[in-house]
């Protein structure tokens, strides 16, 4: 199984075997991610890290993952600081940046833009989020986290109950995660959102066709008795106006009191982050921070492992990672 030279644009390109292979490489990265060991396997290689939409985790973790493998990172952040704002096409940008880089990670506000960019690229392109469409590396790290969290209590992904909550219409992470979950067996899936922010039909069909047991509801209480609760933020940036987004903010708040009343004692809480900490929104309350089942920061940590694995695989060095003795 080889990912060498491949773009990572959509979760649709994965099956269960290659997901397990990515996870196997991700686990191998743990001592390098924690700096217990060092490697220079990507010494001399350059990542073009192009973020045309705000990001904290994805941008920084792509950069850190590449640095941890010994490579260098060159970044562009924000549309206004790029020649795209002067009318340059994605194709031309890709032709140029791909001759400066060995691999490119990119986020852009338009659905389909990263795939369009990849057509002009001569090196692998990793989709860091394209509008409301997909966020494949987030979905892989989410699935990696779900597997790890469930394994800790002797469970597996097959047969689990997951509740996805919030803005399921615009939340690209739940779109990509759902398409990966369609590869698994006999899941119970509860989709909780305002009717106007329901999961797109295409994603619901994928889950339905996989034979999963689906519940679609606009009620939070009574529907959180799941193994995993995956909370999401209202994606204000995808709404026509802030006022329209405000109608939904704060409607599906999860806090310790609701957790105690409605979740199982070991329900794992996930969120792709950022969570909206403004008082009127606050979909995941800070009073859950000491709850041991809050997995949101373990989830973010796993992003480094999965992104290191994806760089190693797309650059074909996954079997060459070895310890580097620093003599300085
Ligand atoms: N989860 C995620 O995509 O976070 P950022 O927007 O901070 O990259």
């Amino acid at each position: 199984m080889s990912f060498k030279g491949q773009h990572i644009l959509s979760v649709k390109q994965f099956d269960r075997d290659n997901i397990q292979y990515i996870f196997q490489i991700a686990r191998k990265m743990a001592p390098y991610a924690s700096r217990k060991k060092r490697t220079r396997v990507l010494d001399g290689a350059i990542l073009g890290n192009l973020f045309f939409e705000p990001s904290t985790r994805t941008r920084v973790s792509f950069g850190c993952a590449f640095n941890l493998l010994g490579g260098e990172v060159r970044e562009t952040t924000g549309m206004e600081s790029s020649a795209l704002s002067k009318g340059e096409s994605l194709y031309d940008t890709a032709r140029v940046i791909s001759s400066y880089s060995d691999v490119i990670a990119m986020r852009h506000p338009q659905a389909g833009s990263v795939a369009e960019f990849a057509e002009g690229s001569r090196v692998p392109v990793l989709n860091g989020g394209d509008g409301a469409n997909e966020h494949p590396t987030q979905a892989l790290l989410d699935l990696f986290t779900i597997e790890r969290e469930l394994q800790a209590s002797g469970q597996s992904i097959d047969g689990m109950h997951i509740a996805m909550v919030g803005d399921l219409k615009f939340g690209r992470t739940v779109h990509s995660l759902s398409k990966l979950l369609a590869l698994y067996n006999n899941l119970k899936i509860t989709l909780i959102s305002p009717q106007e922010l329901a999961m797109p039909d295409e994603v619901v069909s994928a889950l339905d066709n996989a034979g999963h047991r689906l519940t679609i509801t606009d009620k939070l209480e009574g529907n959180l008795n799941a193994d995993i609760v995956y909370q999401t933020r209202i994606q204000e940036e995808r709404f026509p106006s802030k006022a329209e987004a405000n109608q939904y903010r704060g409607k599906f708040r999860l806090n310790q009191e609701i957790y105690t009343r409605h979740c199982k004692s070991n329900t794992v809480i996930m969120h792709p982050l950022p969570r909206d900490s403004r008082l009127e929104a606050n979909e995941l309350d800070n009073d859950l921070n000491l709850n041991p089942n809050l997995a949101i920061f373990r989830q973010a940590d796993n992003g480094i492992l999965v992104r290191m694995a994806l760089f190693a695989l797309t650059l074909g060095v996954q079997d060459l990672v070895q310890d580097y003795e620093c003599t300085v």
Side-chain angles (χ1 to χ4, degrees):
M1 178 178 319
S2 175
F3 287 95
K4 188 175 178 184
Q6 282 191 32
H7 303 306
I8 306 293
L9 299 175
S10 166
V11 291
K12 288 181 191 155
Q13 65 198 88
F14 302 121
D15 61 24
R16 279 182 72 156
D17 285 344
N18 50 44
I19 289 169
Q20 279 312 314
Y21 183 49
I22 294 167
F23 289 179
Q24 179 194 322
I25 304 298
R27 286 189 290 271
K28 257 179 53 176
M29 297 297 174
Y32 303 100
S34 63
R35 278 69 121 195
K36 290 195 174 83
K37 291 182 178 179
R38 291 182 66 192
T39 178
R40 304 290 302 168
V41 71
L42 289 184
D43 192 16
I46 294 175
L47 165 67
N49 208 22
L50 310 183
F51 274 71
F52 301 114
E53 201 182 48
S55 168
T56 295
R57 271 143 296 275
T58 312
R59 180 175 65 82
V60 177
S61 68
F62 268 129
C64 288
F66 208 74
N67 287 149
L68 286 162
L69 291 167
E72 300 276 342
V73 181
R74 292 288 173 271
E75 285 197 334
T76 291
T77 54
M79 200 75 83
E80 67 290 344
S81 63
S82 137
L84 289 175
S85 66
K86 300 177 190 171
E88 185 167 53
S89 67
L90 287 168
Y91 182 87
D92 285 3
T93 307
R95 284 302 295 254
V96 172
I97 300 297
S98 63
S99 68
Y100 300 165
S101 317
D102 297 279
V103 60
I104 294 171
M106 178 175 163
R107 172 174 288 186
H108 190 284
Q110 279 165 11
S113 54
V114 183
E116 185 184 335
F117 177 93
E119 283 173 23
S121 175
R122 287 169 282 189
V123 300
V125 176
L126 278 60
N127 183 357
D130 61 323
N133 183 37
E134 279 226 34
H135 196 344
T137 66
Q138 177 75 41
L140 287 169
L141 78 88
D142 286 343
L143 197 68
F144 184 80
T145 303
I146 291 170
E147 187 175 85
R148 281 197 153 179
E149 296 288 325
L150 292 181
Q151 268 169 2
S153 56
Q155 290 176 270
S156 66
I157 297 177
D158 287 320
M160 74 163 177
H161 178 192
I162 181 169
M164 291 185 250
V165 186
D167 183 353
L168 306 184
K169 177 180 179 184
F170 294 121
R172 58 191 169 202
T173 69
V174 284
H175 301 166
S176 291
L177 178 59
S178 296
K179 290 173 198 166
L180 287 186
L181 292 177
L183 299 171
Y184 289 78
N185 298 321
N186 192 30
L187 305 194
K188 187 172 173 196
I189 300 183
T190 306
L191 303 175
I192 306 169
S193 72
Q195 285 171 10
E196 299 83 353
L197 301 183
M199 190 71 96
D201 290 343
E202 173 222 2
V203 182
V204 173
S205 296
L207 294 171
D208 219 11
N209 293 339
H212 298 328
R213 291 161 290 153
L214 287 184
T215 302
I216 298 176
T217 176
D218 59 3
K219 305 257 176 316
L220 187 70
E221 300 193 357
N223 288 303
L224 293 174
N225 193 27
D227 301 306
I228 306 283
V229 169
Y230 190 106
Q231 176 65 289
T232 64
R233 176 180 64 89
I234 299 297
Q235 306 282 303
E236 183 183 309
E237 62 276 27
R238 314 258 177 252
F239 283 77
S241 69
K242 185 173 174 167
E244 284 183 59
N246 280 347
Q247 293 176 59
Y248 304 106
R249 296 172 75 210
K251 275 211 163 31
F252 293 102
R253 296 178 71 159
L254 182 56
N255 58 24
Q256 186 57 50
E257 192 258 325
I258 292 171
Y259 183 90
T260 305
R261 273 201 295 138
H262 294 282
C263 294
K264 301 198 299 184
S265 61
N266 63 347
T267 295
V268 174
I269 309 163
M270 294 177 62
H271 189 305
L273 302 178
R275 54 177 159 168
D276 194 338
S277 62
R278 289 169 289 190
L279 271 183
E280 73 276 19
N282 207 356
E283 73 273 3
L284 198 56
D285 203 287
N286 283 334
D287 71 358
L288 285 159
N289 285 358
L290 295 179
N291 185 321
N293 298 317
L294 185 76
I296 58 176
F297 300 117
R298 295 191 287 276
Q299 202 179 340
D301 290 348
N302 289 335
I304 293 279
L305 303 181
V306 169
R307 292 186 173 114
M308 287 175 81
L310 290 170
F311 285 134
L313 286 160
T314 54
L315 293 172
V317 300
Q318 70 277 8
D319 297 324
L320 304 176
V321 177
Q322 57 186 14
D323 302 355
Y324 164 78
E325 297 298 333
C326 182
T327 52
V328 182

